[in-house]
Amino acid sequence: MLTIGVDSSTQGTKAVVYDTSAGKIVASAAVNYGRDLPEYGAPDGFIPCADPAVRRADPRMWIDGLRLALARLRDSGAPMSEVAAIGGCAQQHATVYLGADGGFTRESSPIWMDSSTTEEVARLDAMFGSSLARRTGSPATERFAAAQVIKFAREDPAAYAATARIHLLSSYITAVLSGRADAPVDTGDGAGMNLLDLSTLEWAGDICEAVAPGLEKKLPPVHRPGGADRYALAPEFASFGLKPGIPVAPFTGDNPASLVGCGAEKPGCAVISLGTSDTFFAAMPDFRTDPDGYGHVFGNPAGGFMSLVCFKNGSLARDRVRRECGVEWDRFDAICGDGGAGRAFPYFETEITPRHEATGVEADFDWAAAEPERKIRAVIEGQLLNMYERTRWIGDFPVIYATGGASRSAGILKAIRRIFDAEVRTLDATDSAAVGGARLAAAAAR
Ligand code: XUL
């Protein structure tokens, strides 16, 4: 069976045609928001803002990106008319606000990189304390919908009142593809809102009401793994050569989709995804929360739960250090795998694990005076040691799958092997999130 998997990520949209019996990508197309949709003024996928805590994007950019990726797939000669189902995923935590007429009530959407809600997190902590993590799988978290909605309702009560639906980007894309106002939030992405009760997989009514009056009614229904809700492709997508009416699998978050795309949805191995964010995640045999309060529990699209820890300074930080050192990627790759050069932590964006203001690189040696080689090795060492330390609560894994753009780097894989003392496997493609979406589409078509 051929299915399409879409990955609507921070910096662009990718769409692949996947052959489920061969387990192979047969065609793919990508859109980069900065290069291909410059009219949205978001070179790295968000609107530059002097305040590093504010990270927002125009939601129209994501839909234009989706359409352009599908058009490029069609124009590359991909067998669009043979596609039997479409599925996919999106960057987690971005929220989209719609009025009753389907228009946007909030012109720019906060994305996962936003950390402007420290005050709102303190309010949630004061109201719910540690019960929030026990119930929703995560402590109050700045980028999650609960904190973001408190802020929106306080700053613009009229716009909040005019909002009929608050989607995650994933559920919004499902709605667009199926031509419906309503599409469900899946438990993978939905758990990243501080609003879903993970013991019932229903919205936690009391938390929703405490966040903002009438919030529960503004949230989409919840899609549980294997749920019976069915969505079909809207007629307008025939212009991309697709058959209208084919199943649309409810979209999930990029990390839950990657779990499926790597074939790691059963407990036993972990995944390190090296993208705009670096994440470490694994299917979870038993529900446990991070005692240090950095990690999360999300729904596993294959059923049950997954653990996840997210690091904000991922590929953009690696690229910035590379450029500052004046080297190309092949040189960076050749150098970066060896330790012994000290540790450096790049805080170009306000870090979330652990919380740290955007202050630049902090090293245990004189950063400014150091040679480029030392800087590069120390930054990879610092990023991975931090990841190792913050994911101890999840457990030890003999096998780790590496995915995301930077998993192409043999040097980074070598450093993972050394620091995690694990066998490191990579997929043929680095598109595990899109492939996960394509596999979820196949399940929806059966
Ligand atoms: C996970 C997170 C990021 C985004 C990146 O909690 O915030 O990994 O999903 O797209």
Side-chain angles (χ1 to χ4, degrees):
M1 182 194 300
L2 294 185
T3 62
I4 284 184
V6 173
D7 175 13
S8 175
S9 71
T10 314
Q11 296 179 65
T13 302
K14 211 177 277 172
V16 304
V17 177
Y18 185 73
D19 181 337
T20 56
S21 33
K24 267 196 357 216
I25 292 174
V26 296
S28 79
V31 169
N32 177 280
Y33 301 139
R35 273 195 306 275
D36 298 317
L37 299 170
E39 62 273 28
Y40 288 105
D44 289 319
F46 54 85
I47 301 158
C49 178
D51 181 349
V54 175
R55 292 289 179 255
R56 294 187 184 165
D58 186 331
R60 296 166 189 86
M61 176 180 81
W62 297 321
I63 301 309
D64 281 359
L66 168 72
R67 291 209 167 92
L68 185 55
L70 290 175
R72 286 185 172 170
L73 208 48
R74 174 199 62 206
D75 297 344
S76 72
M80 304 296 268
S81 62
E82 292 166 41
V83 169
I86 181 163
C89 61
Q91 59 173 301
Q92 297 198 248
H93 318 299
T95 35
V96 177
Y97 301 74
L98 302 177
D101 60 355
F104 297 105
T105 53
R106 192 176 188 178
E107 286 299 309
S108 62
S109 291
I111 69 164
W112 67 273
M113 297 173 87
D114 189 278
S115 53
S116 65
T117 54
T118 310
E119 243 179 87
E120 289 73 14
V121 161
R123 265 185 63 187
L124 284 166
D125 279 339
M127 285 190 288
F128 296 103
S130 59
S131 74
L132 198 66
R134 274 199 308 280
R135 295 176 66 194
T136 70
S138 298
T141 300
E142 287 168 322
R143 65 192 189 283
F144 283 26
Q148 295 291 346
V149 171
I150 296 181
K151 184 172 169 152
F152 177 53
R154 180 174 51 82
E155 285 181 351
D156 197 345
Y160 173 75
T163 301
R165 260 292 166 260
I166 300 180
H167 274 294
L168 285 178
L169 176 55
S170 56
S171 57
Y172 180 55
I173 295 177
T174 312
V176 168
L177 284 171
S178 55
R180 292 162 62 147
D182 242 339
V185 166
D186 96 304
T187 58
D189 216 11
M193 300 171 85
N194 277 146
L195 297 172
L196 188 70
D197 187 325
L198 294 188
S199 63
T200 57
L201 297 183
E202 283 169 9
W203 299 122
D206 60 323
I207 302 177
C208 292
E209 202 48 37
V211 163
L215 175 59
E216 191 176 349
K217 284 205 176 61
K218 298 180 199 270
L219 296 176
V222 178
H223 170 77
R224 298 160 185 223
D229 34 358
R230 292 280 172 265
Y231 295 81
L233 191 68
E236 69 155 305
F237 290 92
S239 63
F240 299 98
L242 293 164
K243 279 202 291 280
I246 57 170
V248 177
F251 275 45
T252 183
D254 49 6
N255 295 294
S258 244
L259 188 78
V260 174
C262 287
E265 63 270 38
K266 299 237 160 54
C269 53
V271 181
I272 293 179
S273 172
L274 301 164
T276 312
S277 65
D278 289 343
T279 52
F280 182 104
F281 51 88
M284 197 175 226
D286 53 328
F287 183 95
R288 264 180 320 119
T289 52
D290 177 5
D292 292 334
Y294 291 112
H296 308 291
V297 179
F298 294 157
N300 175 342
F305 297 102
M306 62 183 281
S307 52
L308 178 136
V309 184
C310 177
F311 305 85
K312 206 200 272 186
N313 287 280
S315 64
L316 291 172
R318 282 184 286 275
D319 197 41
R320 188 153 157 187
V321 169
R322 179 191 66 78
R323 279 185 281 119
E324 279 181 20
C325 290
V327 300
E328 294 301 321
W329 273 117
D330 49 354
R331 183 75 194 123
F332 186 100
D333 183 27
I335 301 166
C336 73
D338 297 315
R343 298 176 190 188
F345 303 93
Y347 296 120
F348 296 123
E349 291 286 335
T350 305
E351 183 51 64
I352 45 188
T353 313
R355 184 78 167 77
H356 197 288
E357 297 307 315
T359 47
V361 179
E362 288 181 17
D364 60 6
F365 54 90
D366 182 356
W367 176 260
E371 293 293 311
E373 298 203 352
R374 181 168 196 193
K375 288 183 174 174
I376 290 168
R377 282 159 59 194
V379 156
I380 295 303
E381 189 82 354
Q383 283 187 319
L384 290 176
L385 278 173
N386 181 38
M387 179 182 281
Y388 178 79
E389 279 157 20
R390 301 291 165 191
T391 55
R392 294 289 72 218
W393 67 279
I394 300 178
D396 276 318
F397 295 89
V399 175
I400 293 178
Y401 285 94
T403 184
S407 69
R408 287 195 200 93
S409 160
I412 293 182
L413 299 181
K414 182 176 167 194
I416 296 177
R417 213 171 286 126
R418 179 167 48 77
I419 289 169
F420 286 83
D421 190 21
E423 182 192 334
V424 178
R425 296 186 194 157
T426 50
L427 303 176
D428 285 350
T430 50
D431 300 320
S432 61
V435 167
R439 288 194 182 152
L440 293 168
R446 284 193 191 110

